[in-house]
Amino acid sequence: MVIAAVCAATLVSPAFASAASQSQRTLQHDADVLVANGSPGVLVELSTAQGSVKVRSGHGDLRTRTPMPWNAHFRIASFSKTFLSATMLQLVGEGRLSLEDTVDRWLPGVVSGNGNDGRAITVRQLLQHTSGLHDYMAELDLFTEKGFLRHRFDRLSASEAVKLAVGKPPEFAPGTSWQYSNTNYVLAGMVTEKVTGRDWRQAITDRIVRPLDLRETTLPHTSPFLPAPHARGYDRFVVEGSNPPRLGRQVDVTLMNPSMGGGADGSINSTTEDGNKFLRALLGGKVLKPALLAEMKKTVPAPGLGEYGLGLKKLTSSCGAFWGHGGSLPGNSTGNGVTEDGKRSVMVSLNTLTPFKPDAELPSGNPLDPVIDHALCGR
C-alpha cells in the first residue's frame, strides 16, 4: 500500500514549489521501492532552508494495516553517537576535557586486562573507533530470533558492558587501525559523566536537545516503550544453519530495552524533523565553534563505511561529499545525510532492520543509499 506524500514549505516560491514537487515524486518512488523490496514501512523527510518535503509508504502496523505516522518517533540507534560526540566536543571547547586525555585519566583501572590498557587509549580514539577495543555487542545473544526474544528486556550496565569487552583481547593496538565498536561510546558516556558529574543523558539534554528545541527527542533509559505516535518494528532473523545466510519469518520486535550497555552507544528516540534540525545545526556551525567542528570532521579510513571522524561519517554522493551517521536496532533502520554547508539534509526511517523479502539472501550495500543520494543531490 502506497501512502500519498506531503510537502511543507516555510517560504513558498515558484522555484521552491517546482523543486519540491520533483523531489516529492523522486522520494516517493524511492520509498515505494523500499517497501516493494520488503520493508514494512518507510518515512523520508528532506529539509532545506526553504522548506521540507516528507513522504511515506507502506505500513506502520501490519496487523491493522495503518500507515507510517507522519511524525513517528523511532529509535535512532547509533545516530545517538553524533549527539554524544558533539556534547563531548563542547566540553573540550570549555577546557574541561581534552581529546588527548587517556581513558585512564578519567576512568582509572576500568580498561585493563587481556592486553587492554586504558592508559594507551585516548578520548579521540574512543570517538573515532580507533581504540582497538572489542565490541561488547558481539558477546550478547541478540542476533537470532530465540536469543532476541529471550534477552530483549535484559539490563546491562555500562560497567558490565565494558567488562564484557575487556574480557577479550583488543582487535589491534590503539591508533593503528579502525573498527567500529560500541564499547567506545559506552566508555565515552562514562567519561562524560566523570567530567560533568551528571548522567550523560542530562548532558546531551542540556547541551543539544534543549538549545536546539528538539521537542520530540527523548532519552529513555531502559524503557522498552516508544513515545506515541510510533510505528511497530519488525524483523526477519537469519535462519540458523542457512548457507548462504537466509532470512526467516517476520517477527514483531517493537518492545525492547534500547540501553543494553548503558545506552550511550545508541539509545536516543527522535523524529525525522528533529534529526534534520540537529544535522543542519551541527554542520551549519550552531552547535560547535569552527575549530571544534573541524576536529569532529577529521577522518580516518573506515573500510566499508567511507571515512569516520568523531561520531560523524564522511560519505560520497553523486554530487559530492556529505556527512551523517546511520543507526540500526531490531525494528529500526535510520539513514541520514547533510551537505557540507548544513543547508540540505535528509532523514530516512524504516520500521525494520531487515528490509528484504522472505527467504531473501542478504544483499550487499545499504538499501538506503539511493534515497539519501537523490534527496541531497536533488535528483
Side-chain angles (χ1 to χ4, degrees), residues 114-126:
N114 297 303
N116 298 285
D117 187 354
R119 297 170 300 178
I121 298 171
T122 66
V123 171
R124 183 189 297 276
Q125 290 166 347
L126 292 181

Side-chain angles (χ1 to χ4, degrees), residues 188-201:
M190 295 170 71
V191 170
T192 299
E193 292 181 342
K194 284 290 186 179
V195 174
T196 64
R198 309 186 74 183
D199 188 286
W200 65 266
R201 298 172 182 85

Side-chain angles (χ1 to χ4, degrees), residues 164-370:
L164 277 180
V166 300
K168 301 288 183 178
E171 307 295 334
F172 50 82
T176 62
S177 188
W178 183 93
Q179 185 167 305
Y180 197 90
S181 174
N182 289 287
T183 307
N184 290 316
Y185 276 76
V186 173
L187 285 163
M190 295 170 71
V191 170
T192 299
E193 292 181 342
K194 284 290 186 179
V195 174
T196 64
R198 309 186 74 183
D199 188 286
W200 65 266
R201 298 172 182 85
Q202 193 61 52
I204 290 177
T205 299
D206 292 344
R207 293 172 173 274
I208 307 293
V209 175
R210 286 179 182 156
L212 296 181
D213 197 27
L214 305 180
R215 298 185 182 185
E216 304 302 325
T217 298
T218 56
L219 293 86
H221 294 264
T222 57
S223 172
F225 303 102
L226 279 162
H230 66 82
R232 300 201 68 79
Y234 304 93
D235 267 315
R236 301 181 187 278
F237 293 87
V238 173
V239 176
E240 294 185 52
S242 60
N243 188 17
R246 180 172 51 83
L247 298 173
R249 68 178 186 130
Q250 199 161 57
V251 181
D252 188 319
V253 294
T254 307
L255 297 180
M256 67 170 294
N257 171 17
S259 300
M260 197 61 69
D265 52 331
S267 64
I268 297 176
N269 300 325
S270 195
T271 62
T272 56
E273 181 178 355
D274 272 10
N276 277 327
K277 188 184 292 187
F278 171 57
L279 284 171
R280 291 184 59 213
L282 179 63
L283 270 294
K286 297 178 181 178
V287 176
L288 298 172
K289 293 179 179 179
L292 295 170
L293 182 58
E295 289 290 342
M296 195 175 197
K297 293 162 68 176
K298 287 182 179 178
T299 63
V300 294
L305 290 177
E307 300 175 37
Y308 203 95
L310 305 185
L312 199 59
K313 298 176 187 178
K314 185 178 183 180
L315 301 160
T316 303
S317 69
S318 61
C319 57
F322 70 96
W323 300 88
H325 200 305
S328 57
L329 278 172
N332 293 268
S333 293
T334 299
N336 55 46
V338 60
T339 54
E340 183 77 41
D341 58 9
K343 292 183 178 180
R344 191 177 182 97
S345 70
V346 62
M347 287 286 297
V348 187
S349 175
L350 277 60
N351 56 338
T352 184
L353 178 58
T354 50
F356 315 117
K357 292 180 178 179
D359 297 318
E361 292 185 10
L362 300 183
S364 60
N366 186 343
L368 303 185
D369 286 348

